[in-house]
């Protein structure tokens, strides 16, 4: 883990309120697999004390650059959206443990399922798997046509299905609807998105092999403050927990209580 | 003695800076980032007799120049603290201030007795001011008689000096301070968090699962400074001051107000390297001001000493 | 009825926004910047029986997302308020909430009687929470019996509804609120400022001449929201909420927490045009959310109503 | 009075911690004489609520530009020092009442006395007087050589004496020492600087005709909040006061209690 003033080498809007940002810095060398995240201090503010956890979407160790994709949502990410290229950003990372792409064996068919702003970490995962020659199908869910992003990027790596909640693009409905209607089968599933989506997936495929990536409001991002805990599913005495920042954000299928 | 070293009951500190309880765990994580022996001391996360899961999430929220937390004293319980959390700190020399909490006086006694007998703990910090638990905690902190009785009972079983951590959620901090001083407290630590709330505009309801949380960070610094200044007029007890420290200048303000050492909480989340950075900056400032000791920065007539 | 209009005892407001007491004087200066009739109401600067010079300077200090003030209730006294300050407001329709203070109950009664009989004042705001005066003020605000007695006596002489302004410097806001409600208060206003201090690093001493001052601004908003939310569980009295409002979204949070109208203090110094700007933005937000009335934003089960 | 986002058209360091900034905006048209001030919100901060009062040093209605000179002192003015040219600044002004240059009659000899960061408003005053053909002598006091500024500018308008406290430039000592040692005489005196300087002047020349400009910590800057009061010298019942922001910052010689 490093704390570093990274340089913004690229910054652009790619969908409604969705921005893609490329950052350059030494910490890129420390990334250890897809699905880790950065903890970013909102720029141009001296009243925001908390960092924002944002997933790494793509890493390139050769150029020491990585890409993130974020939604300008609240105060901090809206400030972020104003950060000019060439300016510096106070970043901690890489943090947490990502998707176990290294455990996937050749011949397995992997289903990637992403909802909204949960899509970014799956892209790095897809790239890693593809590099290993793994066959991929991706199902992406968005709220509406205007917020769809990275469809083409994923299509370069395998089959892609898109759903939107309002039906303005792709299949109308949720990712689970697409998986069911398209009768998609898989040996392993990696998912990231809102909890209701993850829960629906775990409920629909209780015995699947795979992993999910979780979100929670964070303080430290390091496992210190216990802001981001969730309960483990096998919780004998009611005190067993996982820290999303340092034990996760990626957990095995069925490991934690959603 | 160096410019920065301070000597408090049970805590021989080479500098006045310690991370505040609950903002540093038991040092495991941040101990991988720098050598913990750079610190003046460490205030450990609150320990209770039994393990506690704490509150549901969300547990933190951001506010203007501050944050709310409602962790709910999550900790593995006394036994695991003794077996798992203290041993990794055995190889370090940094003094430890063990924060203890409970819902009954007997809980506090049991934890105080065992932790203070561990050999590794320099002093205890009685947490009677946690706003995030339904029972105990803050109740002991707002009733002077209860606070005094608890202090007396913990003092009776403790093998090390006992500091009492005071709540700012009071109309008169001097009353509680006086009560615990008379009951034998060896020092005071303040402030704990101010009770606050954030509304989630999307739902119209409190954002934290626990509804209320404790406000910390620079937003509360003026309240902390005021209370420390006020107590310094009435007592010579050592005071560990905290609340919103973000830069070395803040530490100087706390010392000027009457604190003998300081704790840094929320700032560790903004920057996990903050404590050694502050220690370095403070050293440079003192050198630049050419004062022999930190305490020489205090205006002469300030306080009762 | 429009989306924004609210009806409170003595105050028929076309929108829920009024400048807070002490942050708008008697409207003379800001009245040259925009039409005061754009406001929902105006809370006037505290009036005392005799003229007061207030504290020595410096009287204000900046803090993180907040400020400290120790004006010390400077005002020209009841007589001049009646003769010089109210008449210029006669041509305006905006309802007035007259803030009154004193060091004895008799003072309060005299001011309450005369101001409420002036014909121009819609309601009184009993300031029992000013942290910046040695006598009276905050003493009445921290002792429930005194607060109740004062409320009762002022109600007995007042010709208009009486709101009581509560101090956040308390361990339990519900006790005072309950006491003044039982004593006949027609509404509550909160929060007044939290007592704080700033140290002048150059001298090592408190920066304000009065040493302590009242903390206001966004820093205290979580405390204000928490107290309003807490009181809304126990009372149906109208609440005028304040503490750190800077943008229209803040107003919505106060309404969601249980306030019936809001007051804007410190923000007037950052931007003297803030009140009409907030009213405009709030209107647009309500239109955009397509709610029939501001109060429809409240989550259903919130509060006792 | 306007509240306006003025454009920074020029910004440079002119002495140790002393910056000169040129601003362009409509409010320049509303200036009503030398010695008024602006109330400036520190840029690039969302935790500072209070504006900073800074005197207008020079106005040019033709170009809608004015100049200010400030010392980077605390948090706000240090932020100001980083503001790039072409960026915008949230400014309220013009505020207060300035030096009564219009009351000076031809033939009068005016002494301008400025201490440190009290010098700027005297420059506009000097220009106005000079335009009316008034004879000027200026005495400027600074802490040391590194903080001296605008000596040459004033020299273009009349005689100039400079003192520094540490004697590193000009006469060693205070402005009062210079006035005494140089036996400077005057019909009218305008002074701006630290209170001890103003007090020494009023004490030394109790019957002088002239004006002083005062500083105090401010809230509103408009006369609303009563943060910036001072007592009038003739204070019958102990409650008489002046507001520095709206009655001042310039007061008649002997009007207020120093
Ligand atoms: C491990 C992880 C990875 C994430 N990856 C991405 C990503 O790649 N792209 C993306 O757009 N978003 C991602 N998020 C969500 C992102 O962190 C929040 O949208 C963001 O923090 C909101 O900040 P704000 O300034 O917009 O909102 P504000 O309301 O101003 O935030 C206030 C506080 O609440 C926290 N907060 C608010 N919403 C969330 C949330 N949904 N999750 C966690 N904290 C929150 C903020 O971090 C901050 O501390 C991720 C979250 C986690 C935990
Ligand atoms: C009418 C008037 C005209 C002024 N003209 C100039 C000028 O032309 N050039 C210049 O450099 N300075 C001038 N000053 C002083 C200037 O306002 C302060 O130096 C400045 O406000 C300090 O702000 P800061 O951010 O550096 O300090 P901080 O310590 O961050 O300020 C904190 C708060 O204290 C206030 N404050 C601190 N010091 C002073 C002070 N000396 N006077 C008033 N408020 C203060 C700030 O405005 C702010 O509200 C003037 C002051 C007044 C009242
Ligand atoms: C996340 C978090 C957890 C905390 N946990 C504890 C705790 O377990 N025991 C305790 O006495 N104080 C606890 N505190 C309070 C801090 O020790 C400190 O008193 C307070 O945060 C003020 O300091 P700060 O403004 O520097 O954070 C906690 C604070 C935070 C922010
Ligand atoms: C400069 C100043 C003067 C004030 N004077 C009064 C007063 O005379 N009477 C009163 O009841 N409250 C007074 N207050 C408190 C405000 O009315 C308000 O309760 C408080 O500032 C919180 O609101 P805010 O955060 O929006 O400023 C004053 C506040 C400030 C900042
Ligand atoms: S965010 Fe602090 S433990 Fe996870
Ligand atoms: S600064 Fe508010 S009255 Fe002068």
């Amino acid at each position: 883990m490093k704390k570093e003033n990274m340089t913004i080498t690229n910054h652009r809007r790619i969908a409604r309120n969705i921005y893609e940002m490329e950052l350059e810095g030494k910490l890129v060398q420390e990334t250890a697999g897809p699905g880790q995240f950065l903890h970013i201090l909102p720029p141009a503010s001296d009243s925001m004390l908390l960092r924002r956890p944002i997933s790494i979407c793509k890493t390139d160790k050769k150029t020491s650059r990585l890409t993130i994709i974020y939604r300008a949502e609240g105060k901090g990410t809206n400030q972020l959206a104003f950060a000019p290229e060439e300016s510096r950003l106070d970043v901690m990372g890489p943090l947490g443990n990502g998707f176990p792409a290294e455990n996937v064996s050749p011949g397995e068919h992997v289903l990637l399922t992403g909802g909204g702003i949960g899509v970014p970490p799956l892209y790095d995962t897809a790239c890693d798997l593809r590099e290993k020659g793994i066959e991929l199908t991706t199902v992406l869910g968005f709220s509406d046509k205007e917020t769809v992003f990275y469809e083409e990027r994923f299509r370069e790596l395998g089959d892609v299905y898109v759903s939107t909640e309002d039906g303005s693009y792709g299949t109308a409905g949720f990712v689970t609807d697409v998986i069911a209607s398209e009768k998609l089968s898989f040996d392993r599933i990696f998912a990231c998105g809102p909890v209701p989506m993850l829960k629906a997936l775990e409920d629909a495929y209780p015995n699947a092999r795979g992993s999910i990536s979780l979100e929670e409001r964070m303080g430290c991002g390091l496992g210190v403050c216990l802001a981001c805990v969730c309960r483990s599913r096998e919780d004998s005495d009611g005190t067993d927990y996982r820290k999303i920042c340092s034990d996760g954000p990626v957990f095995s299928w069925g490991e934690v209580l959603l | 003695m160096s410019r920065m070293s301070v000597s408090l009951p049970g805590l021989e500190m080479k500098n006045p800076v310690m991370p505040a309880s609950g903002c540093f765990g038991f040092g495991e994580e941040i101990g991988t980032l720098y050598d913990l022996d750079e610190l003046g001391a460490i205030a450990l996360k609150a320990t209770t007799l039994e393990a506690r899961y704490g509150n549901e999430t969300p547990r933190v929220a951001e506010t203007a120049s501050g944050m709310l937390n409602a962790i709910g004293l999550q900790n593995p319980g006394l036994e695991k603290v003794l077996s798992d959390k203290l041993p990794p700190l055995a190889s370090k020399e940094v003094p430890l201030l063990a924060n203890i909490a409970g819902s009954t006086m007997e809980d506090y006694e049991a934890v105080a007795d065992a932790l203070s007998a561990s050999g590794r703990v320099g002093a205890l910090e009685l947490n009677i001011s946690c706003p995030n638990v339904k029972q105990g905690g803050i109740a002991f902190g707002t009733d002077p008689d209860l606070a005094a009785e608890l202090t007396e009972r913990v003092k009776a079983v403790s093998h090390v000096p006992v500091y009492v951590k005071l709540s700012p959620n009071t109309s008169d901090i001097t009353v509680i301070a006086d009560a615990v001083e008379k009951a034998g407290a060896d020092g005071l630590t303040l402030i704990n968090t101010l009770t606050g709330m954030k509304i989630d505009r999307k739902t119209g309801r409190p954002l934290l699962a626990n509804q209320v949380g404790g406000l910390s960070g620079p937003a509360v610094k003026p309240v902390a400074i005021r209370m420390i200044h006020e107590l310094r007029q009435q007592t010579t007890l050592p005071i560990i001051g905290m609340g919103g420290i973000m830069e070395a200048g803040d530490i100087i303000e706390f010392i000027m107000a009457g604190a003998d050492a300081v704790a840094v909480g929320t700032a560790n989340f903004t920057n996990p390297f903050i404590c050694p950075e502050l220690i370095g900056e403070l050293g440079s400032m003192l050198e630049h001001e050419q004062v022999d000791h930190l305490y020489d920065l205090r205006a002469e007539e300030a306080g009762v000493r």
Side-chain angles (χ1 to χ4, degrees), chain B residues 63-65 68 142 168-172 194-206 211-212 215 218-223 225-226 229-230 233 247-250 252-254 256-257 285 297-302:
Chain B
T63 68
S65 296
L68 291 168
T142 47
N169 298 291
T170 167
S171 52
D172 190 349
L194 267 169
T195 311
M197 178 182 281
K198 178 153 177 163
I199 298 288
D200 185 348
R201 283 185 209 167
K202 286 186 197 137
T203 63
R205 298 197 175 78
Q211 301 216 338
V212 300
L215 183 64
V220 307
K221 197 181 86 174
V223 175
I225 293 280
R226 187 261 296 185
H229 189 269
E230 198 173 354
Q233 315 305 310
E247 49 185 55
D250 295 331
I252 291 179
E253 287 177 35
F254 274 83
M256 286 170 163
M285 285 172 83
L297 292 172
R298 289 178 181 147
E300 311 244 297
E301 74 272 43

Side-chain angles (χ1 to χ4, degrees), chain A residues 130-184:
Chain A
R130 199 59 225 169
E131 208 159 278
K132 289 177 67 173
I134 306 287
E135 205 185 327
L136 294 175
T137 302
T138 305
V139 183
L140 305 176
F142 298 96
S143 64
D144 62 87
K145 185 166 187 246
E146 299 298 310
T147 57
V148 175
F149 62 89
Y150 265 43
E151 181 188 359
E152 291 312 314
R153 298 290 197 102
F154 279 98
R155 210 175 286 288
E156 292 160 12
L157 306 169
D159 285 348
V160 177
Y161 299 85
V162 176
S163 68
T164 54
E165 283 171 43
D166 70 352
S168 54
Y169 189 79
T171 312
F174 298 100
V175 289
T176 39
D177 299 327
V178 176
I179 302 174
S181 66
E182 300 286 341
K183 301 201 177 60
L184 300 177

